[in-house]
Amino acid sequence: MELTGKAVVVTGGTRGVGAGIAKAFLGAGAHVVVCARRPPDRPVRRAGRTAEFRPLDLREPDAVRAFFAEVAADHGRLDTLVNNAGGTPYRLLDEGDAERHARVVELNLLAPMTASLAARPYLRAARGSVVMIGSVSGTRPSPGTAAYGAAKAGLEGLARSMAVEWAPEVRVNTLVLGMVRTERSDLHYGDAEGVARVGATVPLGRLAEPGEIGEAAVFLASAAASYISGASLLVHGGGEHPAFLDAATVDRRAQQP
């Protein structure tokens, strides 16, 4: 999965999952540009190499178009766009107004579409790819994050349609993520004990690390995935334990040699 000389943009790539993705692409040899509204607290680095940061508000289409034109001109190409920027606070649907929920949909669905459209001419010239960062919240009920779940479901549908419309020059795929451990995990899962307790509900027994998401993204962008397009790759550690696997059953399995 060698990507030396390739140019990659990771939206929301300054921390958390985005930083893990950016580091994985750096490790594969790519030139990496990360964008966000605010600069990172510290540079995104791996193996002595540093991702380039450029500020961008994905809600401003003119700025997005200018951003991709400048990146392609400065690097001479654009091979991969990773639409990672997104997220949502926990809020029951009737606890927020329509405007708040609309902003969640804008960030998680419309912004990736805006970025993809702006990047398309350069990706097409390079016969590159788009990697969407989806969520299991888009594949099942998502109480407390309903607008986010709906947006992520829409993102998968968008990616599948793009994969057909933009073929054969541009491949489009989605990583469907489960729970990932980041520097902000405490906002969702509490302290280390809470993270471990939540991780125990995953068949693999833990939350994913951002770098593991990054390696999956590198795979989809690489020649190793040259015949993969319109796919949704689950990266969720097996999902969730079925209800019939109670704690005693899980403990017994863990003790087996």
Side-chain angles (χ1 to χ4, degrees), residues 64-210:
V64 173
R65 285 189 287 269
F67 168 87
F68 283 102
E70 291 167 4
V71 168
D74 291 347
H75 292 277
R77 61 189 300 145
L78 177 62
D79 297 272
T80 300
L81 165 62
V82 182
N83 279 309
N84 167 76
T88 184
Y90 181 90
R91 182 178 291 112
L92 295 174
L93 195 62
D94 59 3
E95 290 178 350
D97 54 36
E99 289 76 15
R100 285 179 180 270
H101 296 310
R103 286 195 290 271
V104 171
V105 174
E106 180 182 30
L107 176 61
N108 291 281
L109 176 57
L110 300 183
M113 181 167 61
T114 298
S116 298
L117 286 168
R120 181 179 180 269
Y122 315 108
L123 294 171
R124 185 178 182 184
R127 297 188 75 87
S129 70
V130 176
V131 179
M132 303 291 197
I133 302 302
S135 169
V136 293
S137 293
T139 66
R140 54 164 172 71
S142 185
T145 55
Y148 173 79
K152 289 299 188 181
L155 189 66
E156 279 194 74
L158 174 66
R160 287 191 291 269
S161 294
M162 288 168 54
V164 174
E165 291 190 12
W166 293 6
E169 294 88 359
V170 181
R171 294 184 299 108
V172 185
N173 293 292
T174 305
L175 290 178
V176 181
L177 308 188
M179 295 177 287
V180 184
R181 183 169 186 167
T182 70
E183 61 269 29
R184 305 190 74 190
S185 291
D186 61 300
L187 298 179
H188 296 278
Y189 313 124
D191 57 14
E193 182 178 340
V195 170
R197 186 165 54 250
V198 172
T201 68
V202 179
L204 289 187
R206 61 178 177 83
L207 275 61
E209 297 294 332

Side-chain angles (χ1 to χ4, degrees), residues 32-57:
V32 180
V33 178
V34 297
C35 62
R37 285 182 292 171
R38 292 178 291 276
D41 295 331
R42 55 183 180 275
V44 178
R45 294 176 176 149
R46 182 174 178 183
R49 305 180 66 240
T50 304
E52 173 188 350
F53 170 75
R54 299 192 185 199
L56 179 65
D57 188 336

